[in-house]
Amino acid sequence: MKLYKYILFLLPFFMVGCLDVELQDRIEKEHGFYQNEEDALEAIYGVYSTLTDYNYHKTNWPLILPTYEDAMFSTGVSAPATVSNNTHSSNSGPCTDFWKTLYTGINNANEILARVPNTEFTNLNEKNRILAEAHFLRALFYYDLVRLYGGANGIPVITSPVTGLENAYNAQQPKEKVYELIVSDFMYAAGKNEDGTMRLPMRKDAGFVLGRATNGAAHAFLAEVYLTLGWWQEAVNEADTVINSNQYEFLDDYAKLWDVTFETEAQKELIFSVSFFRDNGAVTGSSLGSNIAQLYNPAAVMVGGGYLCGNPYGKGAGNFKVQKWFIQFYQDDTNNLGYSDPDIDASSDENNLIYKDYRIETSFWRTFQQKNNTTGELGSIVTCYPAAGGQKQENWGYIKKFIDPQGVDNRTNENDMPRLRLSDMYLIKAEALNELGEYQDACKAIDKVRERVRKANGVERSWPKYISMEKDDNIGRVLTKQEFRWLVFMERGLEFAGEQKRWFDLVRMKYDENTLMYDYMKDSYIPALSPATVNKQGVMAERKKYFPIPFNEIARNDGVKQNPGY
């Protein structure tokens, strides 16, 4: 079952990281709240509630991250459109609100790490689990903070509860120091109790609760952190720990990952996701439902009138679109990487989709239908790229993964937010092995992902082709190290389309030994594309390698410098 009991952590606390609020008088907790294990459990649920905050995964995460990348863009006249076209500032709330929310979550985790060791428990392992969860969540919050804001000058590090002005405003620490803490916290979470049991349960254990951290999730984040740091062998080791744990397996049908009716079944593949559910009667902004279905879907309904989300008219916002060149890369197999048969046109004849990678049709909309909000009457059938025909045509694509016909309102839908899936582990392993020069094993790892995709919806396909020459149905050539690196970058682009990973890949990966992937896409690849496939609303810029640190933080904290370009 899901962790429905996300109890808000209402204890008084300093909102740290030098937040844009006035500090309040501290209320000591040593002899207050943390008196028994029920108090401690309620406190850790409060830290978990940070994950579903409006300024984190509920809205801002899917709202802003696509506007920093190369494959999606946003239209309109305010944020996120101003971020997409690079006219935003350090006062742009959706860009800076992560700072406040994540540092608040960190302070609450620090309170648990300071108070719970002195709290009486009848079961010591339950205490250890809560402490491990606090380490896990603190690591996750710092991991996201340092990637968003710490690329140039690092971020402040706070490891104990804020007690007053003397420790409320901290200077930036180099990102290397931040990562030391992140690795240490995730390693603690992945560790064992004195009796040899895991501090965090395995997914198949009786103590598993959807939405709470597991041992597999701690190892999986370590794998991703090591990949980010370029610690290739460590990344392989942690990915293998998850893969070989026998706790996770692929769903046969990739599309079921995105069908909310298969949410329980999908857990065997999802290593860590942020849980949302339809919170009837709650205020839309503070409900425990998600916003992504309304954000990403077109301003229309399914052909025939089916709802896309909890919007009163069943429509999405239609403000987030996918660049044509990005879908075309896979649809036409631009680099001969085995995504499709480029000689067969599937734009108007859906029978030809069997000659294309199944993820193209499951990740991107093809057709939808207009609807009159006043009368409820259905209007024209619209096709969007990569489809053609219909009564109207759009030149850009839309993400199709997040749909909830039973949603309550715009911001109260059932769609969970995946952070790490089993595919992540295989693609992390493939990337790291390629960097280590172990080409054949790297091919085998990426082919595990492609093998599932070829199963499609039960009718086996011949696409995507395998990469390993040891497989019969392969791409027909051996890739260089740089070509394989590019393959991983674009394979991740399709596998995780719309899952807010693309920008992080752009700013951590290299195209070659001397060129950051972001710079290659900005300065070389995209300028060489046909202008008809690139919407100029999506702007790549040097300063968009970083997020702006909040203006109020800079004004109040002499130890924090703004990121370049803001």
Side-chain angles (χ1 to χ4, degrees):
M1 61 176 290
K2 277 190 177 180
L3 178 60
Y4 287 142
K5 191 182 179 184
Y6 272 136
I7 302 174
L8 294 178
F9 195 12
L10 299 179
L11 296 175
F13 51 72
F14 275 111
M15 304 187 74
V16 299
C18 318
L19 307 180
D20 55 350
V21 294
E22 293 298 326
L23 291 176
Q24 302 175 6
D25 291 337
R26 178 173 176 78
I27 299 178
E28 294 294 340
K29 302 184 182 71
E30 286 85 349
H31 304 289
F33 183 74
Y34 293 90
Q35 295 189 6
N36 53 52
E37 56 192 276
E38 288 78 16
D39 294 342
L41 184 62
E42 185 173 332
I44 196 66
Y45 284 167
V47 184
Y48 274 111
S49 73
T50 304
L51 296 170
T52 59
D53 192 278
Y54 181 92
N55 292 323
Y56 199 10
H57 293 105
K58 179 182 178 68
T59 295
N60 277 7
W61 194 259
L63 183 80
I64 291 302
L65 281 170
T67 65
Y68 267 73
E69 64 169 69
D70 58 341
M72 292 179 69
F73 63 95
S74 177
T75 58
V77 295
S78 60
T82 53
V83 184
S84 190
N85 64 28
N86 194 35
T87 60
H88 61 297
S89 72
S90 59
N91 285 322
S92 296
C95 297
T96 59
D97 286 345
F98 294 117
W99 182 281
K100 174 179 66 177
T101 298
L102 291 173
Y103 272 115
T104 298
I106 287 166
N107 195 52
N108 288 342
N110 286 339
E111 288 283 358
I112 288 174
L113 294 173
R115 315 300 177 203
V116 168
N118 298 319
T119 303
E120 292 294 327
F121 273 71
T122 56
N123 185 330
L124 181 60
N125 283 356
E126 284 301 313
K127 173 189 283 192
N128 293 340
R129 177 179 182 176
I130 289 173
L131 290 171
E133 287 175 304
H135 280 285
F136 176 93
L137 291 167
R138 185 173 71 176
L140 177 56
F141 299 157
Y142 271 124
Y143 180 46
D144 287 343
L145 275 167
V146 74
R147 291 187 299 163
L148 292 169
Y149 301 103
N153 306 305
I155 58 172
V157 173
I158 305 152
T159 56
S160 59
V162 174
T163 57
L165 287 171
E166 68 279 0
N167 69 337
Y169 293 100
N170 293 264
Q172 287 165 306
Q173 296 293 315
K175 61 182 180 180
E176 293 79 11
K177 298 294 292 184
V178 184
Y179 274 109
E180 284 181 13
L181 176 62
I182 292 166
V183 169
S184 175
D185 273 349
F186 277 135
M187 288 183 67
Y188 182 92
K192 294 181 179 181
N193 295 312
E194 291 183 1
D195 62 5
T197 60
M198 299 297 180
R199 291 183 178 125
L200 295 177
M202 307 290 277
R203 187 189 71 84
K204 294 181 180 179
D205 289 351
F208 168 74
V209 176
L210 177 56
R212 293 181 71 176
T214 62
N215 178 269
H219 283 290
F221 273 111
L222 275 171
E224 189 179 68
V225 169
Y226 289 146
L227 189 79
T228 301
L229 293 172
W231 298 5
W232 309 123
Q233 189 58 59
E234 290 85 351
V236 172
N237 294 345
E238 291 297 336
D240 272 340
T241 296
V242 179
I243 291 168
N244 298 330
S245 69
N246 297 316
Q247 297 293 308
Y248 306 96
E249 59 185 287
F250 284 121
L251 295 175
D252 285 340
D253 187 346
Y254 178 83
K256 286 184 178 179
L257 277 170
W258 318 111
D259 187 334
V260 292
T261 63
F262 288 96
E263 193 175 67
T264 300
E265 184 180 348
Q267 295 311 310
K268 67 182 182 180
E269 180 172 341
L270 297 172
I271 300 172
F272 190 75
S273 59
V274 180
S275 297
F276 290 97
F277 70 101
R278 304 179 193 110
D279 190 13
N280 291 347
V283 177
T284 179
S286 59
S287 74
L288 300 184
S290 65
N291 197 177
I292 194 169
Q294 187 258 348
L295 290 174
Y296 283 8
N297 282 306
V301 293
M302 297 181 196
V303 174
Y307 279 25
L308 303 183
C309 68
N311 174 270
Y313 310 107
K315 299 179 178 182
N319 289 335
F320 284 91
K321 298 177 174 64
V322 184
Q323 295 280 10
K324 183 176 181 178
W325 73 262
F326 181 73
I327 303 175
Q328 193 175 62
F329 180 92
Y330 308 103
Q331 179 81 355
D332 296 347
D333 198 22
T334 300
N335 285 166
N336 187 27
L337 293 173
Y339 289 107
S340 72
D341 185 336
D343 296 325
I344 295 180
D345 181 14
S347 61
S348 56
D349 186 353
E350 295 199 351
N351 291 322
N352 286 338
L353 289 174
I354 61 171
Y355 301 101
K356 308 293 179 182
D357 190 306
Y358 182 58
R359 291 171 294 188
I360 301 173
E361 70 203 66
T362 55
S363 299
F364 308 112
W365 279 98
R366 292 177 59 84
T367 59
F368 44 85
Q369 194 163 12
Q370 294 179 331
K371 178 182 177 181
N372 187 299
N373 290 349
T374 302
T375 66
E377 293 181 0
L378 297 177
S380 299
I381 293 177
V382 181
T383 54
C384 60
Y385 192 80
Q391 296 160 314
K392 292 187 177 181
Q393 176 75 39
E394 288 202 27
N395 194 45
W396 315 106
Y398 291 91
I399 295 293
K400 189 184 178 184
K401 287 179 173 178
F402 305 99
I403 301 170
D404 184 9
Q406 305 300 319
V408 177
D409 55 46
N410 285 338
R411 294 170 178 160
T412 312
N413 299 283
E414 184 82 7
N415 313 87
D416 291 347
M417 182 70 69
R419 285 297 301 259
L420 287 173
R421 305 195 268 113
L422 185 57
S423 295
D424 283 277
M425 297 301 100
Y426 282 108
L427 292 178
I428 285 171
K429 185 176 178 179
E431 181 180 344
L433 287 170
N434 179 59
E435 297 298 334
L436 290 168
E438 300 178 33
Y439 179 76
Q440 286 301 328
D441 287 339
C443 291
K444 291 176 182 177
I446 204 167
D447 282 343
K448 280 290 188 180
V449 176
R450 292 190 164 203
E451 182 178 59
R452 186 269 293 276
V453 177
R454 288 165 64 102
K455 295 177 181 179
N457 58 355
V459 179
E460 187 85 14
R461 295 186 183 184
S462 298
W463 281 268
K465 300 299 183 185
Y466 292 113
I467 304 301
S468 174
M469 296 297 286
E470 296 178 0
K471 294 274 192 178
D472 290 335
D473 195 15
N474 60 63
I475 62 174
R477 71 187 196 280
V478 175
L479 302 177
T480 66
K481 185 175 184 178
Q482 183 175 329
E483 287 173 332
F484 194 93
R485 189 183 292 148
W486 173 255
L487 165 67
V488 170
F489 175 63
M490 294 307 292
E491 185 80 12
R492 288 177 61 86
L494 181 57
E495 176 71 19
F496 303 126
E499 297 179 54
Q500 301 88 50
K501 295 179 185 285
R502 181 75 173 181
W503 179 75
F504 295 116
D505 288 345
L506 283 164
V507 297
R508 71 168 180 82
M509 294 183 73
K510 290 184 177 180
Y511 173 70
D512 58 33
E513 296 306 317
N514 301 309
T515 310
L516 191 69
M517 192 66 77
Y518 190 98
D519 291 330
Y520 171 70
M521 298 303 291
K522 173 174 67 73
D523 300 331
S524 301
Y525 189 86
I526 291 178
L529 295 170
S530 166
T533 68
V534 183
N535 190 294
K536 296 186 182 300
Q537 177 68 17
V539 175
M540 298 186 75
E542 183 67 21
R543 72 175 189 153
K544 288 177 78 172
K545 295 177 184 176
Y546 319 96
F547 274 59
I549 294 174
F551 173 80
N552 285 345
E553 176 74 13
I554 303 297
R556 296 178 179 179
N557 190 344
D558 292 337
V560 172
K561 293 172 57 179
Q562 184 58 275
N563 280 322
Y566 296 100

